[in-house]
Structures are given as structure tokens and as C-alpha cells.
Amino acid sequence: MFTLPDLDYDYSALAPHIAAEIMELHHSKHHQAYVTGANTAWDKLAEARDTGNFATVAKLEKDLAFNLGGHINHSLAWKNMSPDGGGEPVGALAEAIGEGFNGFATFKKQFTEVAMTIQGSGWSVLAWDVCGSRLSTFQQYDHQGNLPAAQIPLLVLDMWEHAFYLQYRNVKADYVAAWWNVVNWADVAARYEKARAQAGGLL
Ligand code: MN
């Protein structure tokens, strides 16, 4: 069973960058709904196996992909933010971003553009490309679409309207600019170290 993880900080801790009202609804309602949905999909797949009735299997797999994506993405997103965040990465992650994106400033521009140009709901993602042994960015549609294969997510930015609309209305650029102030680079760096251990050997 998937469960809703506690946050490491209070709902109000990311203000003024992310308002407490957004954090509370986002975590306790939206994220919870994905947890429930993922568990339901697993349960119904088990039921299909038990009864031998696989008529709904395609729908259940879609439900699982969407809801488990929502659960994983949000779990990561909460850890990727911190009231003590912001600034720039240091150490090995900083070096990899520097090499992979022609410096941090260019990375920030690229990641922001990835976020700003998503059509509809989705996520901007920085990931470890396992086969290429390098960092990559991509647009994740909804919670689960448009992923290049074999990517381990390190840093995710929620570009669904529920993530910003109560505070920033339609001005996505202000939301993204504020979000950079709460990025937990220590968390991203720890994920980078773990992800690099998965390098290569898949193909
Ligand atoms: Mn969300």
C-alpha cells in the first residue's frame, strides 16, 4: 500500500514563495488522491487476477500509470523543496550541471523554458539518463507521459495549475522564479549520487 508521506516542514514554511494554502491543499488533497488512486489500481489488478476477468486491464494500467506517477512526482517534489533552499548546487552535482548545460545559469534557463512551455498539465524534470550516463531535462505530460526511457528523476517542478494558481493566477513565470528560491540542492545532490550508481549496462 502506498501512503501519503509527511512533509519535512510546515505548510507555511515555503512562504512567501509558495503560500501555505497551496501547500495544504496540494499535499493533503491532491497528493492524497493520487495515493488512493494508485492503491485502488493495484487492488483492482489483483482482483482481476483472482477472478480471471481482465476486461478492464487496459483502463487499470492507465489508472496506475497516472496515479502512481502523481504519487511519485509529488513525493519527490516535497523533498526537492526546503525553507532553507535556493542558491546553487555545489560539489559533484554542480560540476555535472556545469558540464552538461554550459554552466548553472544556462541550466536554469533551460529548465525554466522546459517548465514554461509545457502544454497543459505536467512537470519539468532534471534526471539522470542511465544509458547516456549524463544529466537530462524533459517535459513530463500529466504525471506519466512523454518520458524518455531509463531516466531517474532528480529534480521536479510541478506545472499543474493546482500548484500555483491560488497565488500566482496565470503568471507562471513568477511562480517558477519564486520556486528557484526553495530548491533543496542538498536533496538533489544526494539523489544524483545514488542515481549515478545505476549507470550503464541496461542495453
Ligand atoms: Mn501537483
Side-chain angles (χ1 to χ4, degrees):
M1 293 288 281
F2 301 108
T3 56
L4 184 68
D6 291 332
L7 298 188
D8 296 330
Y9 41 81
D10 293 337
Y11 287 137
S12 60
L14 302 182
H17 308 297
I18 312 284
E21 186 183 19
I22 288 178
M23 290 300 297
E24 181 167 8
L25 286 168
H26 203 171
H27 176 258
S28 69
K29 303 296 183 187
H30 292 282
H31 189 171
Q32 178 63 62
Y34 300 128
V35 169
T36 303
N39 286 328
T40 300
W42 273 111
D43 289 347
K44 289 193 171 176
L45 282 165
E47 195 178 302
R49 287 191 293 276
D50 291 344
T51 60
N53 178 5
F54 285 99
T56 57
V57 74
K59 177 193 181 301
L60 294 177
E61 295 289 9
K62 283 181 184 169
D63 290 349
L64 180 63
F66 177 79
N67 287 289
L68 185 53
H71 173 44
I72 300 293
N73 296 343
H74 286 94
S75 298
L76 191 51
W78 310 137
K79 295 284 189 183
N80 279 166
M81 297 189 288
S82 164
D84 304 316
E88 297 186 14
V90 295
L93 175 63
E95 283 174 30
I97 287 176
E99 284 171 22
F101 299 96
N102 300 337
F104 181 75
T106 310
F107 161 72
K108 197 170 167 180
K109 275 187 197 163
Q110 178 169 327
F111 192 90
T112 297
E113 281 302 305
V114 169
M116 290 295 297
T117 55
I118 292 168
Q119 296 178 327
S121 298
W123 297 75
S124 183
V125 181
L126 169 69
W128 178 249
D129 173 352
V130 174
C131 290
S133 294
R134 61 192 164 196
L135 294 171
S136 67
T137 62
F138 52 88
Q139 295 182 329
Q140 196 157 330
Y141 297 159
D142 295 323
H143 295 310
Q144 79 281 28
N146 199 49
L147 284 86
Q151 309 290 310
I152 300 175
L154 307 176
L155 175 65
V156 297
L157 169 56
D158 192 337
M159 292 306 295
W160 284 55
E161 286 188 346
H162 69 222
F164 62 85
Y165 214 83
L166 281 174
Q167 184 175 6
Y168 294 99
R169 304 293 170 178
N170 59 314
V171 190
K172 280 187 198 178
D174 286 357
Y175 161 62
V176 175
W179 174 83
W180 287 108
N181 294 315
V182 296
V183 173
N184 183 353
W185 287 112
D187 178 66
V188 182
R191 293 176 193 284
Y192 171 66
E193 290 303 328
K194 280 187 200 165
R196 272 202 309 178
Q198 307 296 318
L202 282 184
L203 299 180

